[in-house]
Amino acid sequence: MKRKLFVATHNAHKVVEIAAILPDWEIVSDDPVGVEENAPDFVGNARIKVRAIAARHRGDWCLADDSGLEVAALGGAPGVRSARYAGEPSNTPANNALLLKNLAGVADRRANFTCAIALVAPDGTEHAVEGKCFGTIAEAPSGAAGFGYDPLFVPDGFTASFAALTAAEKNAISHRGRALAAAKAILG
């Protein structure tokens, strides 16, 4: 019987990725509605979210992630504002369009995805891990899979965007895959 892992998200895509990377766990989504992600970094925002759901699931493992895209030529933007880069509410097509607009004519398209994961153990102990994936921003979107900035992000060593890779290929190299590998060591 699988142990439950409560995950602070309403994003069905994240739940699918987490379940694929942590197949020994029953992933249960718990949306931390009303929680304000106001930390200046990914780890801080992940901690805010995991603490919110851990209060409801004492005695169980809880996990939250905060992820985003950091573009060198934009001083690290969109960063912690990745989901709301083009404003509220979150709008993926608008975010991608704004990113391409802001990079128009820019030669340096280096970027990285960062994923911070915060965990709360059944005994209340807190942990945090981070994963990164480096690459570049394409001139135009490609691929039909993935979500968010995936159609624009080409990981180092590849010629295809995250959205053009299979789920297994992406999970093996992605920021979330790397952070979840570190989290898996803590989960046991």
Side-chain angles (χ1 to χ4, degrees):
M1 185 166 143
K2 293 182 178 184
R3 294 186 290 166
K4 286 187 179 179
L5 175 61
F6 291 91
V7 178
T9 190
H10 64 274
N11 185 327
H13 296 290
K14 281 187 185 181
V15 171
V16 169
E17 279 189 6
I18 292 168
I21 295 168
L22 300 175
D24 297 334
W25 291 82
E26 178 187 347
I27 307 303
V28 181
S29 177
D30 183 358
D31 188 353
V33 177
V35 172
E36 188 176 350
E37 298 176 47
N38 55 10
D41 57 28
F42 297 113
V43 171
N45 283 330
R47 284 188 170 146
I48 289 169
K49 292 185 281 190
V50 80
R51 288 172 182 157
I53 69 161
R56 296 194 288 261
H57 304 290
R58 295 189 192 286
D60 287 303
W61 277 100
C62 294
L63 178 150
D65 92 316
D66 195 48
S67 303
L69 180 68
E70 299 170 299
V71 180
L74 300 178
V80 295
R81 301 276 309 149
S82 290
R84 295 164 300 285
Y85 187 47
E88 298 285 350
S90 179
N91 181 312
T92 296
N95 289 339
N96 285 336
L98 181 60
L99 179 63
L100 288 175
K101 177 184 171 196
N102 290 342
L103 288 175
V106 175
D108 181 3
R109 299 179 82 84
R110 290 175 297 128
N112 67 273
F113 269 119
T114 298
C115 176
I117 290 181
L119 295 159
V120 174
D123 67 2
T125 305
E126 293 186 13
H127 307 271
V129 295
E130 201 171 70
K132 291 186 182 282
C133 183
F134 293 89
T136 56
I137 302 301
E139 297 280 343
S142 65
F147 59 98
Y149 297 98
D150 286 0
L152 296 175
F153 184 79
V154 179
D156 286 349
F158 289 78
T159 56
S161 73
F162 264 175
L165 300 178
T166 67
E169 288 171 325
K170 178 185 172 189
N171 291 342
I173 62 166
S174 77
H175 53 302
R176 188 167 293 109
R178 291 173 177 169
L180 283 168
K184 191 175 189 177
I186 295 167
L187 289 166

